[in-house]
Amino acid sequence: MPDPVVTHVIGTIALLGSALLMVAAISVAQQVNYMQAVNLMLAEVAESCARELVELVSVHTLGGSGVTYMFLTVPSSLAGQPFNLSIVNRGDNVIEVRAQLQLYRQVRVVVTPNFGRGPVYAVAGTTEVGGVQVSNHILLPTPQGWKAMLVAVNQGDAVLVGFATALGPLEEATAPFFKLVDWTTLVEGSADSKQPFGFAVWNKGGGGSARVEVYDDDGVLVNSMEISLGAGEVVRGSMLLKLPSVPGTYVWRVVCRNLFNNAEDDAQFLQVSVRAPKIMIDSYTSSVSGKPNSQARIDVAVRNIGDAPGTAVAQIQELGASCSVPVPPGEGGACSIPVWLPGTPGSYTWTLSVRTLETGYEEQRQVSVYVQQPEAVLSIAWWNSTVVGAVGQEVKLAVLVENGGYSAVEALVEVADFENSVLARGSASVAAASRVWVNLTASLPSQKGTYTWYVRVYRQGQNTPDDAKPVAVEARDIALARRTAFLYESFDPPQSGWSSKGGEWTVTSGGWNGNALRGKDDDKGPGAGKGNSARYVSVYYWRQSLWSYANPASGFGVVVKLYFGSGDSNVYRGFALLDSSLSKLYEVSAFRLGQRVQLFLRKLDGDWSVIDTSSEARCDDGWYTLYLSFSTAATASFTYELYDASGKLLAGKTSSTPAGFQPSLLALLVDEKDGLFDDLVAANGDPRYVVVSGLPQGWSAELYSSGALVASAAADSTGTAKLLVAHYPILRGASLVLKDASGKQVLSRSLDLVVGGDIYSFSP
């Protein structure tokens, strides 16, 4: 027998170990949040220092002075901690700005303007200029009474820049300015529940108070909290948010309001997910048969496709008999309902209902009941309980007939439709206490729909069947279930609703299919910079807000055909996502240099910055397709790809960046020379694909244009075929063909218009 003292000691050690693990996990989470906040503050500081460095050099090179000073306006500390700023040469007029706090570092590379003067370099080490020590690094905060500044000084033909400190006047109290540096980006829970929302606010100015406000997608205030912060201080807080009553995904807004001037200093987005169970019928006993007053069982299998636990209640409505089962989210469950068959021979129909207890969501199915004659000896042991196919298609049925008597019987099997018209007949001799297969062939109805056929087995010479079973029949046809495209444009000519900012935009011949849109850049559109560092693009934009058609959290996709010719080198062409003022944008463009192409993701928000680039790919003359998928909440997420004329993927990348602004307008963009565009499709689905759903296992779909195969795909495990049409986003006069598992064509339909993102349903 174990010693009680030893057992107690072991238990205590185990509890202590568990507690330590919990503390460690919490510490790790807090450390991750701290790292995110520090990196965001460092990024702000690096951006600010980089901008002021460009401004200093501009003032110095345009003026006539040999030395120019400019006070730095970055915070004196970050969350109460000192930090370093440094600059490093990366070439003539190219300087790397580094902001560092302990192990964390942010880097920005700037190209400094020199307006015809000599090259600009960061000072090497420390040097003295007019009694002032100029260095390539500085530690903040500076000593009491001293102020940090940037210095530019002529040295021969070059200009040197660096940091210095100067004794300044007593600092006046500055107004507070607040920024959200950390916040809960996803709040989830059940309907009407209250869930915690955490945040961290950084005060970049003088001491003051802020109020953090959370608004729902209708602009209604959900909750708010006031906090006080000293200069440079970071304060964390949390509040409870009541979630909506209706399940779904929402995008809410977090506002940091400055109580000094009631200004909205910062605003960000958070995603709200309301969870709820949704229980559906997976399978069930669709028919029962037996002798009068005998007992049977109806089995029900269900699946919870929601995101919260639920309880399924299954019931035969005519009898009141029921069963229930709890079902976790994403999982299945099963229960059985015991029933007694009626006392009178004949056919009956019962209704099975399955209800989600928590939400009231309900599905219903029909159960066929056949009560046999008391003297029956033949029964149907197996049959095709469901038949699915295309309208008019020939289908095969197999029926297993069982003889429960003591002598051989000649069995007659027939299949009849809902009007009792016989569709197929067969017969077989069945020995005593044995089973025999009977194979039949019948044609599905010529009109799509759901039907009920019956398989019946008779003893020769009898008018009343010994047994009967229902067959659920689906005669399916192709139909457009949903067009996810909210904009499709072939520029023949353009539809109304387009405008331009910068450039000359005209319709011209020689498009991918008919006419095309040509944009010629004139550097008069959105942009930033001066002199050699200036970059201004030309855009042709759709005036409708994207978010009238798509949800920012789930986003949208867009494709466009673009052309590269023999003279297209050093040209950017692609998409721009603009804010309503047309001053800020995200750019996704293809850049061609020689016979190589590369995709660029840029942001214009005050200044230009390159967020990411793809790998290079070979690019011969011809038509290509550029694809972009975009969504935004706390971060802006991008997937961008380039396809050739055959649909082959050449280059692509997935990238994300903090959502500094929310774009609302879609545009075509060209920078340098001109660009040729055709067949644009924007959709809240995926415009690269045409989807066919509801296909039986082993079937496939093919899409043709003018008799030529454009795309083909086999159905996956869900019965869905995805046909890649990135290279043909708009098709007119197309044909959609379905083939069964043997490769035999069973259906062909002519379609006037097919658009990328279309969802077709093969349904009854």
Side-chain angles (χ1 to χ4, degrees):
M1 179 178 180
D3 189 312
V5 174
V6 174
T7 303
H8 176 73
V9 169
I10 293 173
T12 302
I13 292 172
L15 287 172
L16 286 172
S18 300
L20 287 171
L21 286 173
M22 291 179 62
V23 170
I26 294 171
S27 298
V28 168
Q30 291 175 338
Q31 181 65 18
V32 169
N33 288 334
Y34 174 77
M35 291 170 61
Q36 291 173 341
V38 167
N39 270 317
L40 187 53
M41 290 187 288
L42 281 173
E44 286 276 329
V45 168
E47 288 277 2
S48 178
C49 183
R51 284 194 299 268
E52 292 177 19
L53 180 60
V54 171
E55 185 179 352
L56 169 74
V57 174
S58 299
V59 171
H60 179 80
T61 54
L62 285 172
S65 172
V67 181
T68 305
Y69 302 90
M70 179 181 290
F71 286 118
L72 274 170
T73 58
V74 298
S76 59
S77 64
L78 299 181
Q81 297 194 57
F83 64 97
N84 284 287
L85 285 174
S86 60
I87 53 178
V88 178
N89 286 315
R90 284 291 177 261
D92 291 356
N93 304 314
V94 180
I95 296 176
E96 181 178 289
V97 179
R98 299 175 179 175
Q100 187 165 357
L101 191 161
Q102 297 177 9
L103 300 177
Y104 314 110
R105 186 171 73 171
Q106 287 284 337
V107 175
R108 296 294 184 271
V109 177
V110 296
V111 178
T112 57
N114 61 4
F115 300 106
R117 299 278 289 271
V120 179
Y121 299 110
V123 66
T126 302
T127 186
E128 184 173 321
V129 178
V132 176
Q133 295 290 321
V134 181
S135 176
N136 61 358
H137 64 277
I138 189 170
L139 175 65
L140 295 169
T142 55
Q144 185 76 24
W146 293 79
K147 299 190 72 173
M149 60 185 181
L150 284 166
V151 179
V153 57
N154 293 337
Q155 189 176 76
D157 292 335
V159 176
L160 300 183
V161 294
F163 300 101
T165 57
L167 191 61
L170 291 175
E171 294 188 7
E172 298 179 359
T174 58
F177 184 82
F178 304 103
K179 184 170 184 63
L180 288 161
V181 292
D182 189 25
W183 66 97
T184 306
T185 57
L186 173 63
V187 177
E188 54 186 348
S190 55
D192 293 319
S193 66
K194 291 185 177 181
Q195 300 296 330
F197 169 76
F199 58 87
V201 176
W202 175 30
N203 184 1
K204 300 172 63 177
S209 297
R211 183 169 60 239
V212 177
E213 305 164 344
V214 179
Y215 293 88
D216 66 14
D217 50 352
D218 290 325
V220 177
L221 180 66
V222 179
N223 203 353
S224 64
M225 181 179 180
E226 292 188 10
I227 53 175
S228 297
L229 301 91
E233 187 179 3
V234 175
V235 171
R236 292 189 174 274
S238 64
M239 65 180 88
L240 292 177
L241 304 180
K242 184 179 179 181
L243 302 193
S245 303
V246 180
T249 300
Y250 303 82
V251 176
W252 287 5
R253 195 163 173 261
V254 189
V255 172
C256 188
R257 190 171 303 280
N258 191 332
L259 297 183
F260 175 77
N261 53 15
N262 204 39
E264 190 178 290
D265 280 359
D266 196 9
Q268 302 293 342
F269 295 98
L270 74 135
Q271 186 173 324
V272 175
S273 177
V274 180
R275 300 193 301 259
K278 184 178 182 181
I279 299 176
M280 304 182 68
I281 299 173
D282 249 0
S283 62
Y284 70 104
T285 304
S286 59
S287 68
V288 292
S289 63
K291 299 297 177 63
N293 296 315
S294 62
Q295 192 173 26
R297 189 181 73 185
I298 296 174
D299 297 322
V300 184
V302 296
R303 182 161 298 278
N304 185 353
I305 64 170
D307 45 19
T311 300
V313 179
Q315 183 181 52
I316 299 298
Q317 294 185 353
E318 290 76 6
L319 305 180
S322 65
C323 66
S324 63
V325 59
V327 191
E331 298 185 19
C335 66
S336 299
I337 306 174
V339 295
W340 291 90
L341 300 186
T344 304
S347 298
Y348 302 84
T349 300
W350 291 343
T351 300
L352 167 69
S353 66
V354 174
R355 181 169 56 92
T356 304
L357 183 63
E358 290 75 11
T359 63
Y361 175 80
E362 184 176 285
E363 292 190 350
Q364 293 186 350
R365 299 289 189 272
Q366 299 299 311
V367 179
S368 296
V369 180
Y370 185 74
V371 181
Q372 301 170 344
Q373 298 291 336
E375 68 277 7
V377 296
L378 296 178
S379 62
I380 299 173
W382 192 95
W383 77 108
N384 301 89
S385 58
T386 59
V387 174
V388 177
V391 290
Q393 180 186 355
E394 279 195 349
V395 293
K396 297 184 181 300
L397 299 96
V399 181
L400 182 60
V401 179
E402 182 174 13
N403 182 358
Y406 298 101
S407 59
V409 175
E410 191 68 23
L412 174 66
V413 180
E414 68 178 22
V415 178
D417 64 14
F418 63 99
E419 293 178 335
N420 211 30
S421 298
V422 177
L423 306 176
R425 279 195 177 96
S427 61
S429 180
V430 188
S434 64
R435 295 177 172 183
V436 171
W437 286 101
V438 178
N439 296 312
L440 306 166
T441 300
S443 295
L444 294 181
S446 58
Q447 298 294 320
K448 63 179 288 186
T450 301
Y451 304 86
T452 301
W453 290 352
Y454 295 93
V455 177
R456 302 179 182 130
V457 58
Y458 299 81
R459 283 174 288 164
Q460 192 174 37
Q462 298 287 327
N463 294 323
T464 302
D466 276 12
D467 201 2
K469 299 291 186 184
V471 180
V473 176
E474 290 186 5
R476 298 184 179 184
D477 205 346
I478 283 290
L480 179 62
R482 188 160 67 97
R483 175 153 287 158
T484 68
F486 54 83
L487 172 65
Y488 50 96
E489 177 66 79
S490 54
F491 304 109
D492 287 321
Q495 306 170 46
S496 61
W498 292 87
S499 295
S500 63
K501 184 174 182 181
E504 180 182 342
W505 298 85
T506 57
V507 175
T508 183
S509 59
W512 165 254
N513 186 13
N515 292 330
L517 178 72
R518 183 181 297 277
K520 186 175 182 180
D521 183 32
D522 62 3
D523 292 333
K524 294 181 180 179
K530 297 179 180 179
N532 295 335
S533 64
R535 182 173 187 259
Y536 290 83
V537 300
S538 298
V539 295
Y540 188 76
Y541 65 94
W542 191 48
R543 294 193 299 269
Q544 298 294 318
S545 171
L546 291 165
W547 312 127
S548 298
Y549 302 91
N551 184 317
S554 53
F556 71 96
V558 57
V559 294
V560 71
K561 302 291 296 187
L562 49 84
Y563 183 78
F564 285 117
S566 58
D568 291 334
S569 186
N570 296 329
V571 182
Y572 293 92
R573 56 189 58 154
F575 297 115
L577 301 178
L578 296 145
D579 73 343
S580 57
S581 69
L582 307 182
S583 62
K584 300 178 181 181
L585 63 84
Y586 292 110
E587 171 191 337
V588 174
S589 59
F591 174 69
R592 192 193 195 203
L593 183 60
Q595 299 300 109
R596 308 293 292 176
V597 67
Q598 188 176 21
L599 303 183
F600 279 78
L601 173 61
R602 286 187 176 88
K603 179 173 71 172
L604 173 62
D605 188 359
D607 293 313
W608 286 102
S609 60
V610 176
I611 299 172
D612 210 346
T613 60
S614 74
S615 58
E616 292 185 2
R618 181 172 178 82
C619 179
D620 297 321
D621 294 353
W623 284 95
Y624 294 82
T625 300
L626 181 63
Y627 163 73
L628 165 65
S629 170
F630 174 78
S631 63
T632 180
T635 59
S637 300
F638 306 80
T639 297
Y640 39 106
E641 297 173 345
L642 188 69
Y643 294 83
D644 68 11
S646 68
K648 179 184 177 182
L649 178 63
L650 300 178
K653 196 73 179 288
T654 295
S655 311
S656 63
T657 186
F661 65 94
Q662 186 178 51
S664 58
L665 300 174
L666 171 67
L668 295 172
L669 172 149
V670 63
D671 182 35
E672 304 294 339
K673 301 180 183 178
D674 57 37
L676 202 61
F677 303 90
D678 202 355
D679 284 5
L680 179 147
V681 177
N684 50 36
D686 191 336
R688 295 173 300 173
Y689 294 94
V690 167
V691 174
V692 182
S693 64
L695 296 178
Q697 187 175 6
W699 283 37
S700 61
E702 296 177 348
L703 188 61
Y704 291 84
S705 175
S706 301
L709 180 65
V710 172
S712 64
D716 61 18
S717 59
T718 67
T720 302
K722 296 179 64 176
L723 297 103
L724 179 68
V725 294
H727 51 312
Y728 281 91
I730 300 177
L731 284 169
R732 302 184 189 277
S735 297
L736 186 57
V737 172
L738 301 184
K739 294 183 176 181
D740 63 17
S742 68
K744 178 183 177 182
Q745 178 176 315
V746 295
L747 188 67
S748 177
R749 289 289 181 258
S750 297
L751 305 171
D752 293 334
L753 175 66
V754 177
V755 179
D758 281 355
I759 300 175
Y760 288 87
S761 174
F762 183 58
S763 59

